[in-house]
Amino acid sequence: MASISGLSKMSGKSYGAVKVTNAQNIEEAGIGDLGEHVPLLQPDAYSQDAASSNVFNKNAFRDFWSLLTFDWISPLLQLGNVKGQLDVSDLNSMPLPRDCETGEVYDVFSTYWEKEIKRSKESRTRKSVLAPGNQSKGDDGEKNIDKTNSVLDDLEIEFDDYAHPQYKPSLIRVLYKSFGADFLRAGILKFIHDANLFVGPQVLNRLIQFIRSNDADLSEGVTLTIIVTVSQIVMSLCLRHYFYKCYTCGLRIRTAIVIAIYRKSLVLSLKERHAHGGRGEIANLVGIDAQRMQDLMTYLHAVWYSFFQISLAVYFLWGQVGPSCLAGVIVIIVLIPTTKFVAAWLAKIQKLLMKARDDRVALNNEILGSMKVIKIQAWEENFRSKLMKLRQHELTRLWRYFFAGACSVSMYGSTPLLVALGTFAAYTLSGNNLDVAEALTALALFDILRFPLFMLPQIINRIVEAGISFERVREFLLAEEYTRVGEGNLEDNGEVWIQNGTFVYDSKKPRLDDDDEDDNKNGAKGLRGLMLQHQRIMQEAALDRQWEKLLLQAQLLDAEDRIQSLEQKLHPKIACSKRIPSNPSSSDHEGKDKWSPSSLLSLRRVCMYVKPGEFVAVVGGVGAGKSTLINSILGEGRPLTGTGLAVKGKLAAFLQTPFIMNDTVENNILFGHSSPEGSDGKDGVFSDERYELALKACSLSHDLSMLPYGDQTEIGEKGITLSGGQKARVALARCFYHDADIYLLDDPIAAVDSHVAKELFHNCIVDEML
């Protein structure tokens, strides 16, 4: 073949963004051999620029024809044909309907969720006030309502755990109010589609009779052809728009749930973070439960249209084969309880599988997060065996789940065959002869019957699985949130006041074991299931009361020890001869018990007042409570009765384990503030002067000069590309950049060399932060 440069001499017709080259142009260009690697369809450069410049029309969603035929996506397909491969920027340039934008989707969901929580609280308050013994009239009733509201707000009662189900916030109700309108409209389209679905078998019967008849009028055949054509067009349009609306609704639900889980995870209290299994369960909520909710929306309408299709199919079968179709109905009725049993069985197995998956993911994340320690201590085999044991446990349950699913699918796949076999057997045994028209029509109706018979048990299984996901997400969204420490009576920014501070971590609270037996019990149905659920709720309530009792006893023992210590100092001789009696339940080795004050109470009787501009150093041994003091000021520790705590001003904290994102050095320091390239004023105003000062004060200038792209160098996951000292200085620079009133630094110079530590202490902590 001749050189490919000769292609530039060819002339051809341009259709949109594609230039077509014909054989005559090739011969005129003097090209003897083109070869198969030269395409006849070549992108037109001018058309490519034009397509990329104004490829999308923002008014496409308002055009009826564009909405009806999905023509609004044609520019994207055209652009893909021109460029050969689409990228993220092309997708981002495509306008979305307003109700599909992420911000709009979450705003709608959060509005209805807040209303639902408020409604549930009001319902529980009304129930408490109207209960026997609490009823009153006039102003007393209003006082009781205000008093109940005050008590609920002060104690932060988790009312959803103990209230009647009708007083629980319903996540399903919120999703229905938020995105249910389009889902209902999709049901109307599905109804029209299913009504036209039975036109085909009836027209088939009439066409067979038309072909058999020698006197039939041609117009009758033309009319039947037009009817079946129109019905197929209507069915196609309705079905495509039905699936589009269902998929869109599912995507909105998944988007809202993922954003809600993400935002909730940022404000969870320390107790709830431990209670929900850490990052492992949160990852499952986002990756598995949210996806299961989205998948449910696609075929949720099968709950009603399955019965609709089955009813119409049986009705038309009665017209074709008479009472013999009841044999097929009997087969269906027999399979209904079987379907329910299989669905319950799959639900139990699926719940056990989710529990095993949560345990495995949590351990896997823990191993990845502590890989350095595991390698140093040579614990690889121990953790590997433990992880493989959990994985084998999960695989066993996964095998049981797939086996049950395979049995279920096999049984459901044979259902239409059993129905047809029973119907035709009853029809022939009753002395009737199968006609060709009747047989073909009946087979067409049985073919229609196959899908609802297959989908009905499947959607029941999906509803059961999604029900578990809805409950898991609902419990997570109702978890207790982090509460910022109040300002109290403090006047100036930078003040910290702690009076008789006693703090505890609620993560130490004992919890019920979620073993297999308990999981099986929770999967029970009916009255027994309600009784077991109520029993578990009562056990959790008793556990909470026991925990509060232990905390009060620990405070009492600590107070008695303090009184005894003061007595020894005031009256040494008297204190030696007369000891203050301790709690009857305590013993001499109480301090060694796991419920002793030293083990339960993280901090005891701390009194501290810090003025603005003061530099306070807390010195102590390992486990003395230095980090707990910082966590208590941040609000992560729970203050017990008698504790006074107030903080006024903006806080910035440097913890022992620096938090490093998988992002550039600059973004790790700015941490949400606008970068100089994309400053939009929404996330904060970028200060170039303070940014440079932070780099200089934290001795990062030399390190950035060694990195390939300076502060634009991307840091690996968990700061893997940086040394320990560099990670600490990046975190300290972030803390300094945000210009807080109060800096809480937990051993910030432990990971750096001595000369660097001296520079950090003088240049950053003393000269700048103070």
Side-chain angles (χ1 to χ4, degrees), residues 677-690:
E677 292 81 3
S679 180
D680 54 3
K682 293 182 180 180
D683 299 325
V685 180
F686 174 78
S687 174
D688 184 69
E689 180 180 355
R690 187 160 186 84

Side-chain angles (χ1 to χ4, degrees), residues 200-237:
Q202 301 304 313
V203 172
L204 175 64
N205 188 286
R206 296 287 297 276
L207 280 175
I208 294 175
Q209 296 178 4
F210 170 77
I211 294 173
R212 280 181 174 180
S213 176
N214 297 325
D215 317 348
D217 191 5
L218 180 61
S219 60
E220 182 181 355
V222 174
T223 302
L224 293 174
T225 305
I226 294 175
I227 290 175
V228 73
T229 302
V230 172
S231 67
Q232 290 298 318
I233 294 175
V234 172
M235 283 173 55
S236 178
L237 290 175

Side-chain angles (χ1 to χ4, degrees), residues 446-515:
F446 281 128
D447 187 62
I448 294 175
L449 194 61
R450 178 189 300 271
F451 183 74
L453 288 176
F454 176 79
M455 279 306 302
L456 184 59
Q458 291 293 326
I459 196 60
I460 291 176
N461 293 342
R462 291 191 181 185
I463 289 175
V464 173
E465 294 175 356
I468 299 174
S469 298
F470 278 116
E471 183 63 22
R472 282 163 55 92
V473 173
R474 188 190 72 86
E475 290 180 357
F476 182 80
L477 295 180
L478 289 175
E480 181 184 350
E481 296 184 358
Y482 162 81
T483 303
R484 185 175 180 179
V485 178
E487 298 181 356
N489 297 324
L490 301 181
E491 297 180 354
D492 299 328
N493 288 335
E495 288 185 288
V496 178
W497 174 75
I498 302 177
Q499 180 64 35
N500 195 27
T502 302
F503 301 92
V504 67
Y505 288 124
D506 278 321
S507 57
K508 297 181 179 180
K509 184 177 76 170
R511 301 187 179 276
L512 295 177
D513 294 332
D514 294 329
D515 53 7

